[in-house]
């Protein structure tokens, strides 16, 4: 077992019961302290943020800067040697995780080990130094969080077969629900990186062009069918060169860590614009991410088998083992008249038909290069049961089965003032490895 994931590890700080940010988690984020306004890298632990820039200044953590390169013909050892080159520049006193992500898997592991030891007390230099604690530990409630990564490109997959079945059934009927290509390749589209916002940012309802079936001509105005999509995303850490596809057996080496993603979607705009080239303005107005990046190392103990794949994928897409993850997911809705959020969906990431290794192998199979900081989202995570669907479109089945809220309100789609909160965690033996909130409130459309 990786010692940083040992269920018996205990932190000397007092952590709330069931905190998503246990000592087994140690997710990375970019925070802004209230007193100096300089964004930098920290680790969430319970109700605190541990300032890695401060620890780095004092020599308690270090990572190796420099570009991690990938050559599919290198052996594992020489690849890791390239990543392990020495250097001296700061990687944590930065407004994004990119410099740390470029340092490669060895540095990620070494940093995780250093932080774990400082927080368990095995390395006593933080526990025994009150002045350092004063300088390096912040209350999480007092800091502002940024989008943790400078995101170059954003790709959104469509990897839940149940979601594809549900949407296909609504659009084309149950016989033609699944397109013939679905079980042969992971479907995706290229999204918009510039409109990705951190959790807590309000999202404005988009105006757009829509056309009802019964109308002769389209109209322009506020979307009436605003929706969310519950997704899990991962960030590419180690890039690949253009023309050098990532081989599926080594795909996991490229993954830095995971966040929750809300792919806000205007269904009425989508319905009118999506043929023949897919989503455009229905999606590009906003995408929300949770601010803490849970490393692949932290969720590795929760790997599990995904659904059986039939037919067997082509050789370049055959998964090198069980690469699904057991992540409990939920969506809560809060309305202006209902201040206490209620859960409207509960599902699990393990249901995804295509896993991250298959997504990376397919994405790069034609030679496409992925860069450090690219965000790859899963697509809406929907389970088999109606209560486990990851969008309002499916939960209220295209408006035909409105969701009933405890205060008597109903929802077919989102209304102005509604807040969508997504949460997710892996349940360990006595601890959780979780994501914190991915939330956003809907504002009225611009006039
Ligand atoms: Ca999506």
């Amino acid at each position: 077992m990786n010692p940083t994931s040992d269920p018996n590890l205990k932190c000397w700080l007092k952590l709330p019961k069931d905190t998503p940010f246990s000592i087994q988690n140690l997710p990375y984020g970019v925070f802004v302290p209230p007193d100096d306004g300089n964004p930098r890298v920290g680790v969430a632990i319970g109700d605190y943020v541990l300032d890695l820039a401060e620890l780095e200044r004092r020599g308690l953590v270090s990572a190796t800067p420099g570009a991690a390169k990938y050559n599919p013909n290198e052996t594992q050892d020489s690849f890791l040697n390239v990543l392990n080159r020495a250097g001296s520049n700061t990687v944590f006193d930065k407004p994004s995780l990119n410099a740390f992500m470029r340092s490669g898997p060895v540095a990620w592991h070494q940093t995780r080990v250093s932080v774990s030891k400082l927080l368990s007390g095995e390395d006593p230099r933080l526990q025994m130094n009150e002045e350092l604690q004063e300088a390096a530990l912040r209350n999480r409630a007092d800091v502002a969080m940024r989008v943790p990564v400078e995101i170059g490109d954003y790709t959104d997959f469509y990897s839940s077969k149940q979601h594809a079945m549900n949407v296909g059934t609504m659009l084309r009927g149950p016989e033609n629900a699944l397109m013939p290509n679905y079980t042969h390749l992971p479907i995706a589209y290229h999204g918009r990186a510039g409109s990705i916002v951190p959790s807590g940012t309000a999202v404005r309802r988009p105006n757009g062009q829509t056309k009802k079936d019964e109308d002769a001509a389209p109209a322009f105005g506020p979307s009436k069918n605003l929706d969310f999509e519950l997704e899990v995303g991962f960030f590419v850490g180690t890039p690949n060169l253009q023309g050098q596809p990532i081989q599926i057996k080594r795909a996991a080496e490229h993954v830095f860590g995971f966040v929750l993603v809300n792919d806000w979607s205007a269904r009425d705009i989508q319905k009118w614009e999506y043929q023949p080239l897919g989503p455009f303005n229905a999606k590009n107005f906003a995408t929300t991410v949770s601010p803490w990046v849970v490393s692949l190392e932290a969720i590795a103990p929760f790997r599990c088998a995904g659904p059986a794949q039939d037919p067997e994928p082509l050789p370049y897409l055959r998964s090198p083992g069980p690469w699904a993850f057991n992540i409990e997911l939920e969506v809560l809705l809060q309305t202006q008249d209902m201040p206490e959020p209620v859960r409207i969906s509960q599902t699990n990431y393990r249901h995804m038909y295509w896993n991250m290794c298959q997504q990376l192998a397919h994405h790069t199979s034609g030679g496409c290069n992925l860069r450090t900081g690219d965000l790859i989202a899963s697509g809406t995570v929907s389970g088999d049961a109606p209560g486990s669907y990851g969008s309002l479109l499916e939960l209220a089945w295209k408006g035909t089965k409105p969701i009933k809220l405890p205060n008597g309100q109903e929802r077919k789609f989102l209304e102005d003032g509604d807040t969508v909160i997504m949460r997710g965690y892996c349940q360990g033996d006595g601890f959780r490895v979780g994501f914190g909130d991915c939330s956003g409130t809907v504002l009225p459309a611009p006039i």
Side-chain angles (χ1 to χ4, degrees), residues 105-441:
V106 173
W108 308 338
H109 173 70
Q110 287 169 345
T111 299
R112 180 173 163 83
V113 169
S114 299
V115 173
S116 176
K117 287 181 175 175
L118 287 168
L119 289 171
S120 72
E122 184 183 336
D123 178 345
R125 288 180 290 175
L126 179 61
Q127 187 181 9
M128 299 303 171
N129 185 339
E130 282 184 19
E131 184 272 329
L132 176 57
Q133 291 174 31
E134 190 70 26
L137 280 170
R138 307 276 182 160
N139 287 320
R140 210 154 43 75
D142 296 341
V143 305
M145 298 304 297
R146 294 277 181 92
V147 172
V149 172
E150 194 180 325
I151 301 169
D153 286 301
Y154 160 42
T155 303
D156 195 15
F157 276 88
Y158 194 61
S159 288
S160 159
K161 189 177 171 188
Q162 187 63 50
H163 173 69
M165 291 280 292
N166 289 344
V167 174
T169 301
M170 284 183 238
L171 291 176
R172 296 179 292 275
E175 291 78 28
N176 303 307
L178 216 55
M179 287 294 186
N181 58 9
Y182 191 86
T183 53
H184 295 277
L185 58 86
I187 300 285
Y189 70 96
H190 286 118
R192 188 83 188 163
S195 54
I196 295 175
V197 295
S199 176
T201 307
V203 168
R204 216 164 254 294
R205 176 184 301 275
N207 286 310
Q209 192 178 130
T210 59
K211 181 184 165 302
K212 290 187 188 143
D213 291 339
E214 60 270 28
D215 292 344
F220 185 85
S223 166
K224 295 185 177 70
N225 296 168
L226 184 60
D227 199 357
F228 60 82
E229 290 189 342
L230 166 66
E231 307 196 15
V232 175
F234 66 85
F235 288 108
V236 174
T238 305
N240 67 300
L241 297 176
Q242 197 164 11
Q244 295 195 356
I246 293 173
Q247 296 163 10
I248 195 161
K249 284 191 171 62
R250 299 190 45 196
E253 294 170 30
H254 295 263
V255 176
F256 176 74
F258 294 76
V259 288
L260 300 181
V261 178
N262 182 350
D263 177 23
W264 302 89
S265 300
R267 300 300 179 195
D268 43 356
I269 298 172
Q270 185 177 7
K271 181 169 181 282
W272 175 229
E273 76 173 6
Y274 88 102
Q275 288 175 317
L277 284 186
F280 185 43
N281 285 349
K283 302 275 192 177
N284 66 10
F285 55 95
T287 304
T288 304
V289 294
S290 56
W292 294 105
V293 184
V294 176
S295 67
L296 177 60
E297 209 172 343
I299 67 164
F302 305 94
R303 274 178 66 188
C304 61
Q309 293 188 305
D310 182 22
E312 184 180 29
L314 289 170
Y316 81 99
L317 282 177
R318 277 176 206 157
S319 183
W323 276 104
F325 293 93
N326 185 358
I327 306 175
E328 298 285 351
L329 297 168
E330 61 179 1
V331 182
L332 298 95
L333 183 68
Q334 181 184 21
T335 73
Q336 282 181 318
D337 302 326
M338 189 182 68
E340 190 64 32
V342 293
R343 185 164 69 204
I344 57 171
S345 177
Q346 187 173 24
T347 185
N348 194 298
Y349 184 53
R350 67 186 303 164
H351 300 308
M352 304 306 279
Y353 190 82
W354 296 103
N355 65 42
M356 68 170 197
C357 299
Q358 295 172 315
Q359 290 167 347
L360 283 179
H362 185 66
H363 199 319
T364 61
S365 59
C368 175
N369 52 315
L370 298 177
R371 296 177 296 176
T372 300
D374 285 357
L375 175 64
I376 313 289
S378 62
T380 309
V381 184
S382 290
D384 297 340
S388 68
Y389 298 160
S391 68
L392 268 180
L393 176 72
E394 296 162 87
L395 290 165
W397 206 256
K398 215 166 69 169
T400 60
K401 298 176 186 170
I403 293 185
K404 293 187 174 29
L405 302 175
N407 68 348
Q409 288 182 301
E410 288 188 346
R411 282 293 180 277
K412 296 175 180 175
F413 292 99
L414 295 171
E415 310 217 339
D416 293 344
D418 286 359
T419 300
V420 177
I421 305 163
M422 297 172 174
R423 292 184 184 140
Y425 63 88
C426 306
Q427 182 65 57
D429 183 8
F431 66 92
R432 284 182 177 181
V433 171
F435 290 83
D437 287 3
C438 178
S439 74
T441 301

Side-chain angles (χ1 to χ4, degrees), residues 41-63:
V41 175
V43 164
I45 178 76
D47 289 337
Y48 298 96
V49 176
L50 182 60
D51 184 340
L52 290 199
E54 185 65 34
L55 297 186
E56 183 183 43
R57 258 192 298 280
R58 299 179 187 226
L60 272 69
V61 295
S62 66

